[in-house]
Amino acid sequence: EKGKMTAIVGPSGAGKTTIMDLIMRFYDPSHGGVYADGVDLRQLDLASWRKAIGVVSQDIFLFNDTVANNIGLWQPEATEQRIEDAAREAYAHEFIQQMPNGYATNIGDRGWNLSGGQRQRIALARAILRKPQILILDEATSSLDSESEELIHEYIRRIRGTCTMIVVAHRLSTIQDADKIVVLQDGRIADQGDWESLLKGSEVFASYHRLQSGV
């Protein structure tokens, strides 16, 4: 739903990545459809649709280039100020400033000299710079340290309602505030609802929650 945060959860192989690929139109469904504002995505201009989306995934590809050029990858016309503003929003500005040449620092192939949390925050800044109407976080915090994870979730809390968010999460603790949680199992939607209703009414979700919480 527009302006809402929808979380997608489920074990490995349940279909989370498939849904993301369908949303991005890497391929189209053989049955049914994916709709935005009631319009089948296949009726939309592909380039325009993808331009409206910002994605931060678990596996981030960074180039052997400067911090600024990595953030501005999809917005080559962006000014230095816009790049810095995006980095501030992603809580990346502080550590970037501490690098040898700031935003002009070369980060190496795939960002080898950055921590996982720093790479994710640069990727988030890259997505923010696009000012996306739809922000997809595809297990973006699954391998982060607790500080970096909390910073990204602080950003999520801050922008709630300003864009449509789709969050694919392995750790259930990260999506308690979602407007809707879609629970996948064996390639199908097993249940959907908010956190409280699923804990009370979905055995699949409750079981998944027990496994993670040890309760």
Side-chain angles (χ1 to χ4, degrees):
E1 294 179 50
K2 184 176 181 179
K4 301 292 186 179
M5 175 181 171
T6 299
I8 300 173
V9 302
S12 297
K16 301 187 297 294
T17 299
T18 298
I19 288 182
M20 292 302 101
D21 289 347
L22 289 169
I23 290 172
M24 291 295 295
R25 283 203 65 198
F26 293 141
Y27 50 84
D28 292 324
S30 55
H31 302 284
V34 182
Y35 297 83
D37 290 337
V39 179
D40 192 310
L41 297 190
R42 287 168 288 199
Q43 298 178 23
L44 301 177
D45 177 73
L46 181 58
S48 297
W49 171 245
R50 289 181 177 168
K51 189 175 181 180
I53 300 174
V55 181
V56 183
S57 64
Q58 181 179 0
D59 298 318
I60 296 300
F61 193 88
L62 298 178
F63 292 91
N64 187 7
D65 205 336
T66 65
V67 173
N69 286 342
N70 270 281
I71 293 175
L73 177 64
W74 304 117
Q75 303 289 127
E77 77 286 354
T79 63
E80 291 182 6
Q81 186 60 54
R82 283 186 60 202
I83 289 172
E84 182 178 318
D85 289 345
R88 287 181 184 277
E89 283 196 64
Y91 302 99
H93 177 70
E94 185 175 340
F95 81 76
I96 292 172
Q97 276 196 314
Q98 294 172 0
M99 298 175 76
N101 296 306
Y103 285 84
T105 302
N106 190 298
I107 62 174
D109 189 35
R110 299 184 69 88
W112 65 268
N113 56 352
L114 300 176
S115 70
Q118 290 172 335
R119 287 194 293 269
Q120 288 295 72
R121 280 180 272 171
I122 286 178
L124 180 59
R126 177 190 289 171
I128 290 170
L129 186 63
R130 299 187 70 170
K131 297 187 182 300
Q133 295 172 269
I134 300 171
L135 178 63
I136 296 176
L137 301 177
D138 187 358
E139 300 204 33
T141 65
S142 61
S143 60
L144 298 187
D145 58 85
S146 56
E147 179 185 7
S148 296
E149 181 178 342
E150 179 55 35
L151 288 174
I152 288 180
H153 284 292
E154 175 59 32
Y155 171 75
I156 291 173
R157 288 190 287 268
R158 186 156 49 83
I159 67 166
R160 285 288 294 274
T162 64
C163 70
T164 301
M165 282 192 286
I166 303 170
V167 181
V168 178
H170 177 70
R171 291 201 291 262
L172 297 182
S173 59
T174 63
I175 46 90
Q176 291 189 41
D177 295 331
D179 296 292
K180 180 167 66 176
I181 301 171
V182 178
V183 185
L184 299 182
Q185 186 179 44
D186 300 325
R188 295 183 178 275
I189 295 175
D191 287 297
Q192 52 187 315
D194 62 23
W195 178 271
E196 292 299 329
S197 67
L198 287 174
L199 275 183
K200 294 175 181 177
S202 170
E203 180 53 38
V204 174
F205 185 77
S207 175
Y208 197 36
H209 179 261
R210 285 193 298 269
L211 283 173
Q212 292 203 4
S213 62
V215 175

